[in-house]
């Protein structure tokens, strides 16, 4: 009986010293873009992200259709993290005061994987409607 009690106390002490396991393990994945039109940065662009999509989602879908959204800063750069592994589409809308028409938009396909490319840092080119 004494051995069982000592074993129970030993297990109790060992389990009490362990840190609590996290609910989620954060992924080291990220997508960063710089929006550009005619070689000029496009600040304050809105970039929508559709996760796990092979087919281009188009420019007409409402914001609620997308899984994430972020804006580019005054330097035209923006990021979203973490992102799930898989094939994703980014759709960007911006404003270019130097060229008419001023509303510009563009898209980018991203394939993120822990084994291949966990981080994508690139230029997202936008253009006016033709």
């Amino acid at each position: 009986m004494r051995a069982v009690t000592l074993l129970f106390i030993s297990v109790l002490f060992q389990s009490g010293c362990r840190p609590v396991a996290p609910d989620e393990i954060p992924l080291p994945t990220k997508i960063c873009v710089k929006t550009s039109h005619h070689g000029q940065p496009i600040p304050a662009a809105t970039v929508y992200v559709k996760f796990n999509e092979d087919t281009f989602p188009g420019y007409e879908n409402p914001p609620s259709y997308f899984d994430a959204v972020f804006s580019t800063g005054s330097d035209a750069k923006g990021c979203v993290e973490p992102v799930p592994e898989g094939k994703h589409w980014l759709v960007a809308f911006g404003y270019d005061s130097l060229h008419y028409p001023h509303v510009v938009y563009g898209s980018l396909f991203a394939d993120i994987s822990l084994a291949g490319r966990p981080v994508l840092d690139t230029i997202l080119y936008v253009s006016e409607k033709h």
Side-chain angles (χ1 to χ4, degrees):
M1 187 68 157
R2 181 171 181 201
V4 172
T5 304
L6 287 175
L7 180 62
F8 176 74
I9 291 173
S10 175
V11 169
L12 185 66
F13 279 120
Q14 286 179 357
S15 65
C17 296
R18 292 185 185 157
V20 176
D23 290 337
E24 294 180 2
I25 298 174
L27 290 173
T29 54
K30 175 167 54 171
I31 298 174
C32 294
V33 297
K34 179 177 182 178
T35 47
S36 177
H37 182 236
H38 293 302
Q40 299 298 314
I42 302 297
T46 302
V47 182
Y48 297 96
V49 186
K50 184 65 178 169
F51 295 136
N52 300 309
E53 183 67 50
D54 287 330
T55 306
F56 172 62
Y59 296 107
E60 293 79 27
N61 284 308
S64 61
Y65 172 80
F66 295 91
D67 301 306
V69 63
F70 65 95
S71 296
T72 60
S74 59
D75 59 355
K77 294 180 182 179
C79 297
V80 60
E81 64 180 309
V83 296
E85 287 188 278
K87 300 172 188 296
H88 315 304
W89 274 98
L90 284 73
V91 177
F93 297 91
Y95 183 84
D96 185 349
S97 62
L98 300 176
H99 297 91
Y100 183 83
H102 300 298
V103 175
V104 291
Y105 54 93
S107 61
L108 178 71
F109 179 76
D111 190 357
I112 302 296
S113 76
L114 291 173
R117 182 188 333 209
V119 175
L120 175 63
D121 190 354
T122 190
I123 297 173
L124 197 162
Y125 294 99
V126 293
S127 65
E128 60 279 336
K129 186 175 182 179
H130 294 285

